[in-house]
Amino acid sequence: MAECNALRKMRHRNLVKILTCCSSVDYNGEEFKAIVFELMPNGNLEKFLHDNEGSENHNLNLTQRLDIALDVAHALDYLHNETEQAVVHCDLKPSNVLLDDDFVAHLGDFGLARLILGTTEHSSKDQVIFSTIKGTIGYIPPEYGEGVPVSPRGDIYSFGILLLEMFTAKRPTNNNFSESLSLHEFCKMKISEGILEIVDSHLLLPFAEDETGIVENKIRNCLVMFARIGVACSDEFPAHRMLIKDVIVKLLEIKKKLPC
């Protein structure tokens, strides 16, 4: 019902499309409800980052990851700023980013979504309080654990973690991380000097074909910019996080800088 309420009036190319819904009685005589979504043949982003490591058929290059990041950013911009009631997704993570035949990303699973009066991401009034903290460990913004009301900036935090996970192919719950070293801090420390030490090795493949160093420098610069966006979005303090419209501008800048 939460998904129906969140999605019934929304139309965007980067959101899952509802084909129909049904209500009936199951074999136990209990009420049964289902939503039928458009099939996403390429599954979700999670499997491309983690489930098929070592398989060339499941590696995403930097251009593909940028396009997916842009798709999700456009979906968030629509949810936060272009609907009658702003929608906070509250569970943004790779398994909820679905990919169609052309690897266009569609944001799904609105079971935890919250509708908020007003649509501006700047307003302190556009908030709603969770009675119980829900979401996925590693992607939940830290302020929610302190009782701060849910807001679009919480989705920005989760989006930042998503970008860093796409960049490093490391989950925020990786065993190497702890209270003193999070995925955010790990990337923040390495941006200036050790960027190539933390990036997903599949994104370094173009380097091997470059004998001039020109492609290497261009890609390194793009990787730094990509990581900086992820770090800025996942800042501990909500007010310090990037606005989603600025994120889109920066991601488009990276795309223009990428070597063909």
Side-chain angles (χ1 to χ4, degrees):
M1 293 306 298
E3 286 198 88
C4 285
N5 288 333
L7 290 169
R8 61 181 177 174
K9 294 183 179 180
M10 296 191 295
R11 298 290 185 273
H12 193 274
R13 72 182 292 269
N14 297 123
L15 297 180
V16 291
K17 180 182 178 182
I18 294 180
L19 298 181
T20 187
C21 56
C22 58
S23 178
S24 186
V25 177
D26 67 16
Y27 57 88
N28 290 323
E30 298 178 352
E31 187 179 28
F32 170 82
K33 295 181 183 294
I35 306 174
V36 181
F37 294 103
E38 182 180 10
L39 177 66
M40 295 287 110
N42 279 311
N44 60 49
L45 179 59
E46 169 87 10
K47 77 172 187 177
F48 285 91
L49 295 178
H50 304 295
D51 293 352
N52 293 279
E53 295 175 359
S55 172
E56 291 299 323
N57 294 328
H58 289 86
N59 293 334
L60 297 171
N61 60 39
L62 183 55
T63 299
Q64 289 174 310
R65 297 188 203 205
L66 271 173
D67 286 339
I68 291 170
L70 274 165
D71 289 339
V72 177
H74 282 300
L76 289 179
D77 185 33
Y78 172 79
L79 294 174
H80 294 170
N81 301 308
E82 299 179 19
T83 55
E84 182 178 344
Q85 286 183 298
V87 179
V88 181
H89 187 275
C90 294
D91 199 21
L92 185 58
K93 57 184 178 180
S95 60
N96 288 337
V97 176
L98 308 179
L99 305 172
D100 66 16
D101 268 325
D102 299 316
F103 283 90
V104 174
H106 302 255
L107 187 57
D109 193 347
F110 284 76
L112 297 181
R114 293 295 184 271
L115 303 178
I116 301 175
L117 293 175
T119 58
T120 171
E121 58 189 332
H122 300 281
S123 174
S124 60
K125 296 180 181 178
D126 295 345
Q127 300 174 330
V128 63
I129 298 175
F130 263 142
S131 57
T132 304
I133 295 299
K134 296 180 180 180
T136 303
I137 299 298
Y139 304 91
I140 302 173
E143 66 268 19
Y144 287 3
E146 300 172 358
V148 174
V150 169
S151 76
R153 291 188 186 272
D155 278 353
I156 299 300
Y157 176 88
S158 303
F159 178 71
I161 297 298
L162 175 71
L163 291 185
L164 297 180
E165 186 170 356
M166 293 172 68
F167 179 78
T168 62
K170 293 183 183 295
R171 293 183 175 90
T173 54
N174 187 287
N175 292 333
N176 292 328
F177 303 135
S178 61
E179 291 185 4
S180 59
L181 181 65
S182 63
L183 176 59
H184 168 88
E185 291 297 331
F186 175 69
C187 293
K188 186 177 180 179
M189 289 189 304
K190 295 287 187 177
I191 282 180
S192 298
E193 300 296 335
I195 194 72
L196 300 185
E197 298 174 13
I198 65 171
V199 67
D200 180 5
S201 59
H202 295 121
L203 299 182
L204 301 178
L205 293 179
F207 288 7
E209 302 173 2
D210 175 38
E211 297 179 356
T212 65
I214 296 175
V215 172
E216 179 178 350
N217 288 332
K218 286 185 176 180
I219 294 180
R220 182 187 284 108
N221 290 337
C222 291
L223 292 173
V224 169
M225 293 175 65
F226 191 85
R228 287 191 189 280
I229 296 171
V231 168
C233 288
S234 57
D235 194 284
E236 178 184 358
F237 300 101
H240 294 172
R241 295 170 194 157
M242 293 180 68
L243 301 179
I244 195 62
K245 291 186 182 296
D246 294 335
V247 169
I248 292 172
V249 170
K250 291 296 184 183
L251 289 173
L252 288 172
E253 284 182 15
I254 298 175
K255 193 170 181 180
K256 289 180 181 178
K257 292 177 182 293
L258 276 178
C260 298

